[in-house]
């Protein structure tokens, strides 16, 4: 499985690409069906999703609750803007900590690639305030800057 | 991170959003380079390169100094230190999620792929 790629695009976008050994239909479904979402969307080890509700229609809302025990908890809510089965999800989301952070606009595309799927996620850069919130949540320890790594993600 | 750091982070992201500016930055990771020499590999006028350098300077990513008659550019110490953790965090977050998604997808009933 090729590693995840992260690049900056334009003035305000972060682009994430990743390949999966599954059909676009399945990868798309795994992004919309609560019983599938709750198995993977909590990003950190030890975190769970006690609540996961999606109204997967254009204009429909979703609500995800994440619980990290002693590490904290937060809720993400959002709305689906565009849903094209097996190929495109456009949505807005915001974290509540507990005050809502500004909306983040996310566009996820699913393309057949060989026998698998290429997923591309384009996220508008959150503004400084929401980045701050994400950093608070993300516990980014003072990592040593590595130009090689930067080169890799910027290339 | 205080507010001023965040405002600067916006400038950094904006400065890094251009491929020429990223290339200039990468060149500077090997040491100081003269302003004239920086323009050489790019199909671009000297004023255009100077404007790019100015953007990088405003974002606090490079500094300029004189060395004899030459104007030199230098990578600011720890210039990218504040943006890197943020990008790393985003990448880590999705890396973790998508690794778990692999497992979920494996357990799903495979659907028939059309003839490719």
């Amino acid at each position: 499985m090729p590693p995840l790629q992260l690049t900056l695009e334009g003035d305000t976008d972060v682009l994430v690409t990743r390949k999966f050994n599954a059909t676009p239909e399945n990868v798309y479904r795994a992004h919309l069906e609560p019983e599938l979402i709750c198995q993977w969307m909590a990003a950190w080890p030890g975190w769970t999703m006690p609540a996961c509700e999606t109204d997967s229609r254009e204009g429909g809302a979703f609500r995800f609750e994440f619980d990290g025990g002693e590490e904290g908890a937060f809720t993400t809510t959002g709305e689906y803007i565009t849903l094209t089965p097996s190929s495109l999800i456009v949505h807005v989301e915001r974290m509540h900590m507990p005050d809502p952070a500004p909306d983040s606009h996310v566009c996820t595309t699913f393309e057949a690639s060989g026998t698998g799927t290429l997923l591309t996620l384009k996220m508008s850069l959150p503004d400084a305030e929401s980045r701050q919130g994400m950093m608070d949540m993300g516990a980014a320890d003072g990592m040593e800057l590595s130009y090689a790594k930067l080169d890799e993600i910027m290339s | 991170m205080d507010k001023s750091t965040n405002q600067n982070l916006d400038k950094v992201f904006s400065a890094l959003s251009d491929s020429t500016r990223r290339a200039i930055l990468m060149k500077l990771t090997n040491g100081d380079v003269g302003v004239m020499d920086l323009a050489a590999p790019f199909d671009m006028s000297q004023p255009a390169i100077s404007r790019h350098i100015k953007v990088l300077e405003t974002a606090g990513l490079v500094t300029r100094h004189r060395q004899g008659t030459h104007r030199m550019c230098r990578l600011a110490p720890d210039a990218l230190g504040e943006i890197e953790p943020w990008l790393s965090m985003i990448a880590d977050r999705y890396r973790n999620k998508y690794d778990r998604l692999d497992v979920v997808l494996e357990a799903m009933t495979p659907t028939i792929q059309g003839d490719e």
Side-chain angles (χ1 to χ4, degrees):
Chain A
M1 199 60 74
L4 172 139
Q5 298 278 327
L6 184 143
T7 47
L8 294 177
E9 187 184 81
D11 269 352
T12 59
D13 291 335
V14 175
L15 209 61
V16 175
T17 54
R18 170 74 147 75
K19 283 192 80 166
F20 292 95
N21 280 330
T23 59
E25 183 192 351
N26 277 359
V27 185
Y28 176 88
R29 279 181 51 207
H31 278 73
L32 288 178
E33 297 176 16
E35 58 276 17
L36 296 171
I37 293 170
C38 69
Q39 297 178 56
W40 68 271
M41 201 166 283
W44 300 284
W47 282 68
T48 58
M49 286 184 75
C52 175
E53 299 147 18
T54 61
D55 176 8
S56 51
R57 296 175 297 181
E58 292 185 351
F62 61 85
R63 176 190 172 84
F64 304 143
E65 285 180 21
F66 299 92
D67 185 2
E70 287 184 2
E71 289 176 44
F74 67 97
T75 300
T76 299
T77 63
E79 293 82 39
Y80 299 110
I81 298 167
T82 310
L83 293 175
T84 309
S86 306
S87 82
L88 172 71
I89 299 173
V90 181
H91 75 272
V92 288
E93 64 175 52
R94 64 206 68 87
M95 288 165 91
H96 302 257
M97 300 175 293
D99 294 331
D103 283 5
S104 163
H105 186 276
V106 184
C107 175
T108 313
T109 58
F110 310 86
E111 291 168 88
S113 168
T115 55
T117 298
L118 174 67
L119 177 150
T120 304
L121 179 142
K122 188 153 103 174
M123 180 172 50
S124 16
L125 267 182
D127 62 13
E129 191 186 339
S130 18
R131 282 208 298 268
Q132 173 70 60
M134 288 168 99
M135 287 302 279
D136 292 346
M137 289 300 314
D141 303 319
M143 278 171 288
E144 280 236 78
L145 172 61
S146 138
Y147 287 115
K149 185 169 177 191
L150 187 77
D151 204 3
E152 171 199 326
I153 58 180
M154 297 289 177
S155 57
Chain B
M1 252 191 267
D2 59 25
K3 203 178 170 87
S4 66
T5 307
N6 273 326
Q7 278 165 344
N8 189 49
L9 206 46
D10 284 332
K11 283 205 191 96
V12 171
F13 267 110
S14 182
L16 289 174
S17 67
D18 179 274
S19 60
T20 304
R21 291 198 286 269
R22 292 199 295 269
I24 290 173
L25 228 42
M26 288 307 150
K27 227 172 128 76
L28 290 173
T29 58
N30 300 321
D32 298 3
V33 181
V35 175
M36 299 307 258
D37 297 333
L38 269 182
F42 302 105
D43 185 20
M44 231 178 247
S45 67
Q46 183 65 51
I49 290 291
S50 290
R51 273 197 299 276
H52 281 307
I53 293 171
K54 185 81 198 143
V55 172
L56 291 167
E57 199 173 27
T58 307
L61 295 168
V62 305
T63 59
R64 280 191 277 198
H65 62 283
R66 283 197 173 282
Q67 198 174 311
T69 55
H70 294 285
R71 286 182 67 75
M72 306 294 287
C73 275
R74 174 176 299 171
L75 197 66
D78 200 34
L80 300 165
E82 60 180 35
I83 190 178
E84 208 270 349
W86 195 84
L87 290 175
S88 291
M89 196 197 82
I90 296 285
D92 281 351
R93 210 167 59 133
Y94 282 104
R95 214 171 269 129
N96 288 340
K97 284 187 189 193
Y98 291 156
D99 285 353
R100 298 180 67 192
L101 179 53
D102 282 335
V103 179
V104 173
L105 292 167
E106 206 163 325
M108 288 171 77
T109 313
T111 49
I112 308 296
Q113 280 274 61
D115 293 338
E116 291 193 340

